[in-house]
Amino acid sequence: MKLSKILAIGLAVLTMTACSDDDEFNFNSDGNVTVDMAQPSITLKENKGYFNVPVVVSGEANGYVQVTVEVQEATGNPAMDDVHYIVTSKTINIASEDKVGNVEIKTVDDGEINENREFIVTIVDAKGAKIGNERSTTVTIRDNDSEFYEKLMGKWALNFVSKGAPDKWDVNVVGYEETEAGYNETLYITGIMGYSWAQLEVSYFFDKATNVGYLEVPLGTLVADGVDFGSFTGTVLAATVENGYVVADGTLRAEWNDMFTEITFQDSPVLYLAVFDEATGDFMGGWKSLNLVNMTR
């Protein structure tokens, strides 16, 4: 049994003991109280961690309601108890003033690509209430390891060479939720970059049929605005330098490794953060010129 589950169960036992001492678990005696699962189905990501499967109480209880559930593997690609998820406690106590109780469960992220897994949470016993018609919730654990877009998110070191010396910025790669526009299309490198917080847009491309993927930094996009440069307030755009000229068209390309621990920029390109006066739009010079090397974590 995993340590996290042992600790969780220990805390649950302590909580139940404390309630028993104080309230002696005076169970509801009103015969019109029922319990049901709140949702027929729940879908979440494998790396979710702790989540709740809610149980609802209908009617006016005059004491505690105790609900016991069991979990079982669903057909198809089943999720297994203590392997793909861990249940904190399969018995929950719901006070009379509460209308919802929660079965707490923790997902286990195996770091491997697999089909979505399912299991079923079912009410099998209730004290102080009758079991209603909605006895079960099907939980789908969606694999996130095949979504490379999501695997690229997180903390990175952006490594570069500036004025002949290696340097780095600690950054975060952030993106969109699955239900949002921009998912599997756009990521952002964010963090303190030189003078101020900045955000560098990154286009994401991946073809599952060919297993080919890469990133592109589109030039000419906004990196930061409202930056106080002392004598003026500036807007910063992503650009590069070619033959001594600032170029704000095109892209800088990068690719990730199989372990998602390194993103390498092709040909160590120059990222030139070009500053423009916000009031006049005049080009004011460079914020920073970087020979991009890679991103590591």
Side-chain angles (χ1 to χ4, degrees), residues 19 23 25 28 33-35 55-67 92-102 128-129:
C19 290
D23 303 299
F25 279 110
N28 168 65
V33 175
T34 60
V35 288
V55 177
V56 294
V57 178
S58 300
E60 297 299 325
N62 55 33
Y64 275 93
V65 169
Q66 186 179 84
V67 176
I92 60 172
N93 296 294
I94 307 171
S96 58
E97 64 271 18
D98 296 329
K99 292 296 184 180
V100 179
N102 290 302

Side-chain angles (χ1 to χ4, degrees), residues 12-183:
V13 170
L14 287 173
T15 302
M16 289 175 62
T17 303
C19 290
S20 180
D21 290 342
D22 294 340
D23 303 299
E24 297 181 353
F25 279 110
N26 293 316
F27 291 114
N28 168 65
S29 59
D30 189 314
N32 296 316
V33 175
T34 60
V35 288
D36 292 273
M37 302 304 291
Q39 300 167 253
S41 62
I42 295 175
T43 300
L44 44 90
K45 296 177 184 177
E46 189 178 68
N47 62 348
K48 173 67 174 180
Y50 287 99
F51 68 98
N52 291 321
V53 177
V55 177
V56 294
V57 178
S58 300
E60 297 299 325
N62 55 33
Y64 275 93
V65 169
Q66 186 179 84
V67 176
T68 300
V69 301
E70 69 174 15
V71 293
Q72 62 187 97
E73 300 173 13
T75 57
N77 192 35
M80 294 182 285
D81 189 13
D82 276 350
V83 177
H84 304 119
Y85 63 92
I86 300 167
V87 184
T88 300
S89 177
K90 294 174 183 175
T91 297
I92 60 172
N93 296 294
I94 307 171
S96 58
E97 64 271 18
D98 296 329
K99 292 296 184 180
V100 179
N102 290 302
V103 180
E104 185 183 68
I105 302 176
K106 182 180 183 295
T107 60
V108 177
D109 190 347
D110 57 13
E112 299 177 357
I113 296 175
N114 52 258
E115 296 297 322
N116 295 342
R117 297 188 173 102
E118 289 187 342
F119 67 99
I120 302 169
V121 182
T122 302
I123 301 174
V124 293
D125 187 52
K127 293 181 180 179
K130 295 180 292 187
I131 302 175
N133 295 325
E134 305 299 329
R135 294 173 175 242
S136 298
T137 295
T138 299
V139 180
T140 301
I141 303 177
R142 188 175 68 78
D143 177 54
N144 64 294
D145 297 304
S146 61
E147 293 296 344
F148 296 164
Y149 176 84
E150 296 179 20
K151 294 186 70 144
L152 290 168
M153 296 184 194
K155 295 181 179 180
W156 293 82
L158 175 62
N159 302 297
F160 57 89
V161 175
S162 180
K163 297 181 180 179
D167 202 350
K168 72 171 185 174
W169 288 332
D170 292 325
V171 297
N172 282 312
V173 174
V174 299
Y176 294 94
E177 292 293 330
E178 189 175 14
T179 56
E180 297 177 318
Y183 181 83

Side-chain angles (χ1 to χ4, degrees), residues 242-297:
E242 295 180 0
N243 301 319
Y245 292 93
V246 176
V247 178
D249 295 320
T251 58
L252 308 180
R253 182 162 167 161
E255 297 178 353
W256 59 83
N257 65 357
D258 291 340
M259 300 299 292
F260 294 89
T261 56
E262 182 178 12
I263 299 171
T264 303
F265 293 94
Q266 288 188 343
D267 304 319
S268 189
V270 175
L271 173 63
Y272 186 79
L273 301 180
V275 179
F276 296 84
D277 189 311
E278 272 195 355
T280 65
D282 294 338
F283 173 65
M284 304 299 291
W287 178 349
K288 192 85 169 178
S289 181
L290 322 171
N291 279 97
L292 297 176
V293 178
N294 61 12
M295 294 173 61
T296 56
R297 62 179 176 186

Side-chain angles (χ1 to χ4, degrees), residues 177-237:
E177 292 293 330
E178 189 175 14
T179 56
E180 297 177 318
Y183 181 83
N184 266 341
E185 295 178 359
T186 306
L187 292 164
Y188 299 93
I189 300 172
T190 68
I192 302 297
M193 303 182 189
Y195 295 108
S196 177
W197 185 89
Q199 176 172 281
L200 187 63
E201 183 176 311
V202 180
S203 298
Y204 169 88
F205 301 93
F206 182 71
D207 184 346
K208 289 187 177 181
T210 61
N211 206 36
V212 173
Y214 58 93
L215 303 173
E216 286 184 341
V217 178
L219 303 179
T221 56
L222 180 68
V223 175
D225 59 359
V227 182
D228 184 3
F229 289 96
S231 58
F232 68 98
T233 301
T235 295
V236 184
L237 299 183

